[in-house]
Short mmCIF file of all heavy atoms in Angstrom, two decimals:
data_model
loop_
_atom_site.label_atom_id
_atom_site.label_comp_id
_atom_site.label_asym_id
_atom_site.label_seq_id
_atom_site.Cartn_x
_atom_site.Cartn_y
_atom_site.Cartn_z
N THR A 23 4.57 8.67 7.28
CA THR A 23 3.68 7.64 7.81
C THR A 23 2.36 8.19 8.32
O THR A 23 1.44 7.41 8.59
CB THR A 23 4.36 6.88 8.96
OG1 THR A 23 4.75 7.82 9.96
CG2 THR A 23 5.58 6.12 8.46
N THR A 24 2.26 9.49 8.48
CA THR A 24 1.04 10.12 8.99
C THR A 24 0.72 11.34 8.14
O THR A 24 1.58 11.83 7.39
CB THR A 24 1.25 10.60 10.45
OG1 THR A 24 2.28 11.59 10.46
CG2 THR A 24 1.62 9.44 11.37
N PRO A 25 -0.51 11.86 8.24
CA PRO A 25 -0.82 13.09 7.51
C PRO A 25 0.13 14.24 7.88
O PRO A 25 0.56 14.99 7.01
CB PRO A 25 -2.26 13.40 7.93
CG PRO A 25 -2.84 12.07 8.23
CD PRO A 25 -1.72 11.29 8.85
N ALA A 26 0.48 14.34 9.14
CA ALA A 26 1.40 15.41 9.56
C ALA A 26 2.76 15.28 8.87
O ALA A 26 3.34 16.28 8.44
CB ALA A 26 1.57 15.39 11.08
N SER A 27 3.24 14.04 8.74
CA SER A 27 4.53 13.87 8.08
C SER A 27 4.43 14.11 6.57
O SER A 27 5.40 14.54 5.94
CB SER A 27 5.12 12.49 8.39
OG SER A 27 4.25 11.47 7.99
N VAL A 28 3.25 13.86 5.99
CA VAL A 28 3.05 14.19 4.58
C VAL A 28 3.12 15.71 4.40
O VAL A 28 3.78 16.21 3.48
CB VAL A 28 1.70 13.65 4.06
CG1 VAL A 28 1.38 14.19 2.67
CG2 VAL A 28 1.71 12.13 4.04
N PHE A 29 2.47 16.45 5.29
CA PHE A 29 2.53 17.91 5.22
C PHE A 29 3.95 18.41 5.44
O PHE A 29 4.40 19.32 4.73
CB PHE A 29 1.57 18.54 6.24
CG PHE A 29 0.14 18.49 5.82
CD1 PHE A 29 -0.78 17.73 6.52
CD2 PHE A 29 -0.31 19.20 4.71
CE1 PHE A 29 -2.11 17.68 6.14
CE2 PHE A 29 -1.63 19.15 4.32
CZ PHE A 29 -2.53 18.39 5.04
N ARG A 30 4.67 17.85 6.41
CA ARG A 30 6.06 18.26 6.64
C ARG A 30 6.91 17.99 5.40
O ARG A 30 7.78 18.79 5.05
CB ARG A 30 6.65 17.55 7.85
CG ARG A 30 6.27 18.17 9.17
CD ARG A 30 7.12 17.64 10.32
NE ARG A 30 6.96 16.20 10.50
CZ ARG A 30 6.03 15.64 11.26
NH1 ARG A 30 5.18 16.39 11.92
NH2 ARG A 30 5.96 14.33 11.38
N HIS A 31 6.66 16.87 4.75
CA HIS A 31 7.41 16.53 3.54
C HIS A 31 7.23 17.61 2.47
O HIS A 31 8.17 17.91 1.73
CB HIS A 31 6.94 15.17 3.00
CG HIS A 31 7.59 14.76 1.73
ND1 HIS A 31 8.85 14.19 1.70
CD2 HIS A 31 7.19 14.86 0.44
CE1 HIS A 31 9.18 13.96 0.44
NE2 HIS A 31 8.18 14.35 -0.34
N HIS A 32 6.05 18.19 2.41
CA HIS A 32 5.76 19.22 1.41
C HIS A 32 5.87 20.64 1.98
O HIS A 32 5.42 21.60 1.33
CB HIS A 32 4.37 18.99 0.81
CG HIS A 32 4.29 17.76 -0.03
ND1 HIS A 32 4.91 17.66 -1.25
CD2 HIS A 32 3.70 16.56 0.19
CE1 HIS A 32 4.69 16.46 -1.76
NE2 HIS A 32 3.96 15.78 -0.90
N ASN A 33 6.47 20.76 3.15
CA ASN A 33 6.71 22.07 3.79
C ASN A 33 5.43 22.89 3.95
O ASN A 33 5.38 24.07 3.60
CB ASN A 33 7.76 22.87 3.02
CG ASN A 33 9.11 22.20 3.01
OD1 ASN A 33 9.52 21.65 4.03
ND2 ASN A 33 9.77 22.19 1.87
N CYS A 34 4.39 22.27 4.48
CA CYS A 34 3.15 22.98 4.75
C CYS A 34 2.50 22.40 6.01
O CYS A 34 3.02 21.44 6.59
CB CYS A 34 2.20 22.94 3.56
SG CYS A 34 1.81 21.29 2.95
N GLN A 35 1.41 23.00 6.44
CA GLN A 35 0.69 22.55 7.63
C GLN A 35 -0.79 22.37 7.31
O GLN A 35 -1.30 22.95 6.36
CB GLN A 35 0.82 23.58 8.75
CG GLN A 35 2.22 23.73 9.28
CD GLN A 35 2.29 24.77 10.38
OE1 GLN A 35 1.35 25.53 10.59
NE2 GLN A 35 3.40 24.80 11.08
N VAL A 36 -1.46 21.61 8.14
CA VAL A 36 -2.90 21.39 7.98
C VAL A 36 -3.62 22.72 8.13
O VAL A 36 -3.31 23.49 9.02
CB VAL A 36 -3.42 20.39 9.03
CG1 VAL A 36 -4.91 20.19 8.88
CG2 VAL A 36 -2.69 19.08 8.93
N GLN A 37 -4.58 22.97 7.25
CA GLN A 37 -5.38 24.18 7.39
C GLN A 37 -6.82 23.82 7.76
O GLN A 37 -7.22 23.99 8.90
CB GLN A 37 -5.33 25.02 6.12
CG GLN A 37 -4.00 25.72 6.00
CD GLN A 37 -4.02 26.77 4.91
OE1 GLN A 37 -4.95 26.86 4.12
NE2 GLN A 37 -2.97 27.54 4.85
N CYS A 38 -7.61 23.33 6.85
CA CYS A 38 -9.02 23.05 7.16
C CYS A 38 -9.20 21.66 7.76
O CYS A 38 -10.16 21.43 8.49
CB CYS A 38 -9.90 23.24 5.94
SG CYS A 38 -9.77 21.93 4.71
N GLY A 39 -8.34 20.71 7.44
CA GLY A 39 -8.40 19.37 8.01
C GLY A 39 -9.30 18.38 7.29
O GLY A 39 -9.39 17.22 7.70
N LYS A 40 -9.98 18.79 6.23
CA LYS A 40 -10.88 17.87 5.53
C LYS A 40 -10.12 16.74 4.83
O LYS A 40 -10.69 15.70 4.57
CB LYS A 40 -11.72 18.63 4.51
CG LYS A 40 -12.76 19.53 5.14
CD LYS A 40 -13.59 20.22 4.09
CE LYS A 40 -14.61 21.15 4.75
NZ LYS A 40 -15.41 21.85 3.75
N CYS A 41 -8.85 16.94 4.57
CA CYS A 41 -8.06 15.93 3.86
C CYS A 41 -7.46 14.89 4.80
O CYS A 41 -7.01 13.83 4.35
CB CYS A 41 -6.94 16.60 3.09
SG CYS A 41 -5.81 17.54 4.14
N VAL A 42 -7.45 15.15 6.09
CA VAL A 42 -6.77 14.27 7.04
C VAL A 42 -7.32 12.85 7.03
O VAL A 42 -6.53 11.89 6.99
CB VAL A 42 -6.77 14.90 8.46
CG1 VAL A 42 -6.25 13.92 9.49
CG2 VAL A 42 -5.94 16.17 8.46
N PRO A 43 -8.63 12.61 7.05
CA PRO A 43 -9.10 11.21 7.00
C PRO A 43 -8.67 10.47 5.73
O PRO A 43 -8.30 9.29 5.79
CB PRO A 43 -10.63 11.34 7.05
CG PRO A 43 -10.88 12.65 7.69
CD PRO A 43 -9.76 13.53 7.26
N THR A 44 -8.67 11.17 4.61
CA THR A 44 -8.24 10.54 3.35
C THR A 44 -6.75 10.20 3.42
O THR A 44 -6.33 9.11 3.01
CB THR A 44 -8.52 11.47 2.16
OG1 THR A 44 -9.90 11.78 2.14
CG2 THR A 44 -8.12 10.82 0.85
N MET A 45 -5.96 11.12 3.95
CA MET A 45 -4.52 10.85 4.08
C MET A 45 -4.26 9.72 5.05
O MET A 45 -3.35 8.92 4.84
CB MET A 45 -3.78 12.10 4.52
CG MET A 45 -3.54 13.08 3.42
SD MET A 45 -2.35 14.30 3.98
CE MET A 45 -2.63 15.57 2.78
N ARG A 46 -5.04 9.65 6.13
CA ARG A 46 -4.88 8.55 7.08
C ARG A 46 -5.14 7.21 6.40
O ARG A 46 -4.40 6.25 6.60
CB ARG A 46 -5.83 8.71 8.26
CG ARG A 46 -5.35 9.66 9.30
CD ARG A 46 -6.23 9.60 10.54
NE ARG A 46 -5.87 10.68 11.43
CZ ARG A 46 -6.72 11.49 12.02
NH1 ARG A 46 -8.02 11.34 11.82
NH2 ARG A 46 -6.30 12.44 12.82
N SER A 47 -6.20 7.14 5.62
CA SER A 47 -6.50 5.87 4.95
C SER A 47 -5.45 5.55 3.90
O SER A 47 -5.07 4.38 3.74
CB SER A 47 -7.90 5.89 4.34
OG SER A 47 -7.98 6.80 3.28
#
Side-chain angles (χ1 to χ4, degrees):
T23 57
T24 63
S27 58
V28 171
F29 283 114
R30 279 193 299 272
H31 177 81
H32 291 290
N33 297 319
C34 55
Q35 294 180 348
V36 179
Q37 285 191 350
C38 74
K40 290 182 181 179
C41 60
V42 172
T44 303
M45 281 193 197
R46 279 189 189 133
S47 67

